[in-house]
């Protein structure tokens, strides 16, 4: 019985297919009892469907208001959405107002804070920075007091410039640059800090000493010849060498030049510069310890420095120079002798 | 639409397959204005809107649980198509009745008298059944739920239990029906 019931169920629901369906149809055609059973089952199923449909309709009728749509929740949602939109719009205008006011205040503060901005001084600092690319020591050690040398333009002049039309302004950039560039005078003074934010380090003078420059007389031609002979025959006549030395010494002693003195200052560079600067009176030595032994000699109006066994030519030009050891053997012989 | 949270079509269908009857209300509310506008523009009135929309939503409920159901358009389009068909069918029925009334009374109730028995009596019998049997038979024959879903909803151990319980419930109802009617009435 149960098997027949499920078979009829599948037949009525259309799930019965293929050979099973053919077999069932054949049996249905042959059996009146089966036809009756199918009819009864179909009628009950249709009734069940109607019953369930009525049940669902009752459920719908109970859960939806007359007219289908429950307007109260819709109204509440609409009001809520409208309130939220209103709040957002109000918040937008408030924020916009506050931001505008704040921006105006910032602009006012800026205009009142920098009405007399000293552009010349700022430009001069930039120029100094650019010059410092070549010799940092020069820029730092010889930075003049720009605040004294460059007078800031008065505010009315600035306003006039702003009001002038560009066509009327004859800009000569070369002249402008010449006017802007400060004239540096080497005074050995460190530049004072013009602003609190910029810390300018300067070279430090460690100590100073005064040395005597020993003057040397250049050897005569004959003596040079003798020296040449002595050099070519050093083993044969050792005494001749002594005689040459004696001759030079004698000559020096015979025509002595007045010894000069030179003031030597020992400096420590902020950029660890090693060299010298000689203006004829004072010799600034950078990166050389004061404890080292120095020996100055003058030959043909030129001053030579002997340091650590090496001889250096000290050029009198007021510039920063490096110490370059001499390699000319003749000159070295004269200086060492 | 205000007041109704918007659900994706596939979500609605999925919840219908799970037997969530709230989806009926959701679909009804969502499409009420649309269906009403259509019926009012096509010789309808407020009284039929409710019936048409209820039938449309219930049709979707039934079809969504069919194994071969495949939604190829928006769910609202599908519901509107069902509502239109139902309304045109109703209009056709009304026109037929009007024609019959104007001529003579031949073939009266030929379509309405489908069965020789009073179906409402059997409906009452179904309502008198115990709740498990009634729900089981309704879920299977009308809603189209598969045995797995029925087992989950009614708390049965497995699908075999659903199958045997269904047979028992059906036979019980059939016995009651046959007590009320003769076999010939049902054929």
């Amino acid at each position: 019985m149960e098997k027949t019931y499920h078979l009829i169920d599948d037949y009525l629901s259309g799930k019965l297919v293929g050979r099973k369906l053919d077999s069932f149809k054949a049996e249905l055609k042959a059996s009146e009892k089966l036809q009756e059973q199918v009819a009864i089952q179909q009628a009950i199923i249709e009734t069940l469907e109607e019953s369930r449909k009525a049940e669902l309709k009752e459920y719908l009728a109970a859960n939806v208001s007359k007219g289908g749509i429950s307007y109260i929740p819709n109204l509440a949602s609409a009001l809520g959405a409208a309130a939220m939109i209103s709040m957002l719009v109000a918040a937008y205008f408030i924020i916009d107002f506050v931001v505008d006011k704040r921006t105006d205040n910032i602009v006012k503060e800026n205009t009142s804070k920098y009405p007399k901005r000293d552009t010349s001084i700022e430009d001069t600092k930039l120029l100094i920075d650019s010059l410092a690319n070549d010799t940092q020591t020069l820029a730092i050690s010889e930075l003049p007091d720009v605040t004294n040398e460059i007078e800031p333009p008065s505010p009315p002049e600035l306003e006039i410039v702003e009001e002038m039309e560009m066509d009327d302004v004859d800009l000569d950039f070369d002249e402008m640059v010449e006017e802007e560039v400060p004239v540096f005078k080497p005074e050995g003074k460190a530049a004072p800090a013009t602003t609190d934010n910029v810390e300018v380090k300067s070279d430090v003078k460690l100590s100073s000493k005064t040395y005597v420059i020993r003057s040397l007389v250049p050897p005569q031609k004959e003596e040079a010849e003798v020296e040449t002979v002595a050099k070519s025959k050093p083993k044969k006549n050792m005494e001749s060498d002594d005689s040459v030395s004696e001759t030079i010494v004698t000559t020096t002693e015979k025509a002595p030049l007045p010894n000069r003195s030179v003031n030597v200052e020992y400096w420590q560079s902020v950029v660890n510069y090693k060299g010298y600067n000689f203006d004829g009176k004072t010799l600034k030595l950078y990166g050389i310890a004061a404890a080292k032994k120095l020996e100055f000699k003058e030959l043909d109006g030129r001053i030579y420095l002997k340091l650590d066994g090496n001889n250096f030519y000290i050029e009198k030009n007021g510039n920063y120079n490096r110490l370059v050891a001499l390699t000319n053997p003749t000159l070295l012989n004269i200086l060492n002798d | 639409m205000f007041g109704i949270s918007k659900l994706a079509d596939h979500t609605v269908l999925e919840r219908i397959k799970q037997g969530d009857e709230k989806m009926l209300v959701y679909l009804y509310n969502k499409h009420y204005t649309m269906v009403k506008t259509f019926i009012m523009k096509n010789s309808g009135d407020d009284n039929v809107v409710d019936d048409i929309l209820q039938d449309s939503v219930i049709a979707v409920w039934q079809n969504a649980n069919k194994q071969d159901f495949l939604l190829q358009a928006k769910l609202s389009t599908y519901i509107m198509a069902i509502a239109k068909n139902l309304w045109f069918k109703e209009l056709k029925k009304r026109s037929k009745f009007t024609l019959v009334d104007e001529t003579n009374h031949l073939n009266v109730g030929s379509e309405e008298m489908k069965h020789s028995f009073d179906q409402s009596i059997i409906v009452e019998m179904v309502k008198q059944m115990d709740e498990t049997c009634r729900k089981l038979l309704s879920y299977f024959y009308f809603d189209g739920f598969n045995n797995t879903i029925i087992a989950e909803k009614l708390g049965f151990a497995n699908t075999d239990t659903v199958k045997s319980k269904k047979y028992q419930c059906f036979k019980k109802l059939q016995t009651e029906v046959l007590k009320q009617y003769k076999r010939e009435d049902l054929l």
Side-chain angles (χ1 to χ4, degrees):
Chain A
M1 284 291 286
E2 186 175 352
K3 190 179 178 183
T4 309
Y5 161 76
H6 290 300
L7 201 60
I8 295 170
D9 244 5
D10 291 341
Y11 171 72
L12 292 175
S13 63
K15 291 177 184 174
L16 202 61
V17 291
R19 294 176 66 182
K20 284 185 179 180
L21 178 62
D22 295 338
S23 175
F24 183 81
K25 279 182 177 177
E27 193 178 348
L28 184 64
K29 194 173 184 180
S31 173
E32 286 189 4
K33 191 181 177 183
L34 184 61
Q35 290 175 12
E36 185 180 315
Q37 181 62 28
V38 169
I40 293 170
Q41 198 160 321
Q42 187 174 12
I44 293 174
I45 289 170
E46 285 174 2
T47 309
L48 281 168
E49 287 178 354
E50 287 298 319
S51 172
R52 175 63 172 161
K53 191 174 181 180
E55 189 183 354
L56 288 177
K57 280 193 172 187
E58 284 177 12
Y59 173 80
L60 271 174
N63 287 280
V64 295
S65 60
K66 194 69 179 176
I69 298 173
S70 54
Y71 289 100
I72 294 173
N74 294 346
L75 185 62
S77 301
L79 289 173
M84 189 172 287
I85 291 168
S86 302
M87 287 173 67
L88 287 173
V89 170
Y92 170 76
F93 281 112
I94 289 169
I95 291 170
D96 190 47
F97 175 73
V98 170
V99 169
D100 284 349
K101 196 172 180 183
R102 198 171 175 185
T103 308
D104 291 343
N105 290 337
I106 290 169
V107 171
K108 284 178 183 176
E109 282 178 9
N110 288 338
T111 50
S112 61
K113 194 173 180 180
Y114 307 107
K116 299 177 181 178
R117 186 168 173 266
D118 195 344
T119 52
S120 300
I121 293 174
E122 295 292 330
D123 294 340
T124 307
K125 286 177 185 172
L126 292 172
L127 183 62
I128 289 167
D129 290 338
S130 63
L131 288 171
N133 291 331
D134 296 329
T135 54
Q136 186 75 17
T137 307
L138 170 68
I140 294 172
S141 63
E142 298 184 356
L143 188 67
D145 189 354
V146 291
T147 53
N148 295 332
E149 292 190 11
I150 303 169
E151 291 182 5
S154 57
E157 291 177 358
L158 284 176
E159 290 177 1
I160 291 168
V161 170
E162 287 175 359
E163 291 173 3
M164 288 171 67
E165 293 183 3
M166 292 303 294
D167 296 339
D168 300 333
V169 179
D170 186 14
L171 294 174
D172 189 344
F173 290 102
D174 293 334
E175 289 180 4
M176 288 175 68
V177 170
E178 286 176 1
E179 288 175 3
E180 292 287 339
V181 173
V183 179
F184 295 111
K185 295 179 179 178
E187 295 174 355
K189 285 197 279 185
T194 54
T195 60
D196 295 336
N197 295 331
V198 179
E199 183 184 357
V200 180
K201 291 183 178 180
S202 58
D203 295 345
V204 179
K205 181 181 176 184
L206 301 173
S207 62
S208 64
K209 290 180 183 178
T210 303
Y211 286 87
V212 176
I213 303 174
R214 192 159 62 94
S215 297
L216 298 178
V217 177
Q220 300 297 325
K221 287 184 179 178
E222 295 175 359
E223 291 169 350
E225 289 175 0
V226 172
E227 186 182 3
T228 307
V229 172
K231 279 186 175 180
S232 59
K233 300 176 180 177
K235 295 179 180 177
K236 291 181 179 177
N237 189 5
M238 291 297 288
E239 291 179 356
S240 61
D241 191 19
D242 296 335
S243 63
V244 173
S245 301
E246 287 173 359
T247 306
I248 293 171
V249 172
T250 305
T251 308
T252 305
E253 287 174 351
K254 281 180 182 177
L257 293 172
N259 289 338
R260 294 194 297 153
S261 62
V262 61
N263 183 30
V264 177
E265 294 179 351
Y266 294 91
W267 287 75
Q268 184 181 7
S269 169
V270 292
V271 293
N272 295 324
Y273 176 73
K274 192 170 183 179
Y276 67 94
N277 187 332
F278 185 49
D279 59 354
K281 293 180 181 179
T282 303
L283 175 64
K284 294 178 181 177
L285 293 176
Y286 294 88
I288 297 171
K292 288 190 176 180
K293 184 183 177 182
L294 303 180
E295 188 178 347
F296 290 92
K297 294 175 184 175
E298 185 174 9
L299 181 64
D300 290 340
R302 295 183 172 186
I303 295 175
Y304 298 92
L305 167 64
K306 189 172 185 180
L307 172 67
D308 293 336
N310 294 320
N311 289 287
F312 303 95
Y313 169 57
I314 303 300
E315 193 174 0
K316 177 188 169 184
N317 56 8
N319 294 330
Y320 290 84
N321 304 304
R322 292 184 176 277
L323 288 168
V324 181
L326 296 174
T327 55
N328 187 346
T330 307
L331 184 57
L332 287 174
N333 283 333
I334 295 169
L335 293 173
N336 290 330
D337 292 339
Chain B
M1 187 184 288
F2 291 123
I4 300 173
S5 58
K6 193 173 182 181
L7 295 174
D9 288 352
H10 65 88
T11 306
V12 174
L13 293 176
E14 193 60 37
R15 288 175 68 171
I16 287 174
K17 286 178 182 176
Q18 292 169 357
D20 187 355
E21 293 176 355
K22 291 176 183 174
M23 289 299 100
L24 290 170
V25 181
Y26 170 78
L27 292 175
Y28 185 99
N29 288 335
K30 188 179 179 184
H31 299 93
Y32 180 82
T33 308
M34 208 184 325
V35 172
K36 183 184 177 182
T37 305
F38 168 77
I39 290 175
M40 297 294 278
K41 284 182 179 177
N42 290 276
S43 311
D45 52 51
D46 283 336
N47 298 327
V48 294
V49 173
D50 201 37
D51 284 338
I52 294 293
L53 186 54
Q54 280 184 357
D55 287 342
S56 302
V57 169
I58 288 170
V60 172
W61 174 272
Q62 275 189 293
N63 293 338
N65 284 301
K66 289 180 180 173
Q67 286 186 343
D68 56 349
F69 175 75
L70 180 63
L71 186 67
Q72 293 181 325
K74 285 175 70 177
L75 191 56
S76 56
T77 307
Y78 181 57
I79 289 176
M80 274 305 296
I82 294 173
K84 284 178 183 177
N85 285 337
L86 288 174
W87 177 237
F88 290 141
K89 193 176 177 182
E90 180 65 23
L91 285 177
K92 193 175 178 182
K93 195 189 292 182
R94 288 184 183 183
S95 64
K96 276 185 179 178
F97 277 120
T98 307
L99 186 64
V100 169
D101 288 340
E102 287 175 353
T103 53
N104 53 39
H105 295 281
L106 293 175
N107 300 324
V108 173
S110 61
E111 289 197 8
E112 291 298 307
M113 297 299 286
K114 199 172 181 179
H115 301 289
S116 58
F117 61 92
D118 190 355
Q119 205 174 31
S120 63
I121 295 175
I122 301 179
V123 170
E124 281 302 315
M125 288 179 183
V126 173
K127 285 182 181 178
Q128 296 301 320
M129 293 174 74
D130 70 280
E131 190 177 353
T132 304
C133 275
R134 182 174 52 82
K135 281 186 175 178
L136 195 157
L137 295 176
S138 298
Y139 288 160
F140 184 84
Y141 289 111
F142 182 82
D143 298 76
F145 297 151
N146 58 42
N147 289 343
T148 307
I149 296 288
I150 293 171
E152 287 175 2
K153 290 179 78 71
L154 297 179
F156 293 145
N158 49 49
T159 55
D160 290 338
T161 312
V162 174
K163 214 170 178 181
S164 61
K165 185 73 178 173
K166 188 184 74 172
Y167 171 72
Q168 292 168 13
C169 292
F170 192 87
K171 282 297 162 187
K172 193 177 178 181
L173 178 63
Q174 185 177 325
T175 306
E176 292 296 321
V177 170
L178 290 175
K179 283 181 185 175
Q180 189 73 24
Y181 295 98
K182 294 178 183 177
R183 289 179 178 271
E184 294 77 20
D185 296 333
L186 300 173
L187 295 176

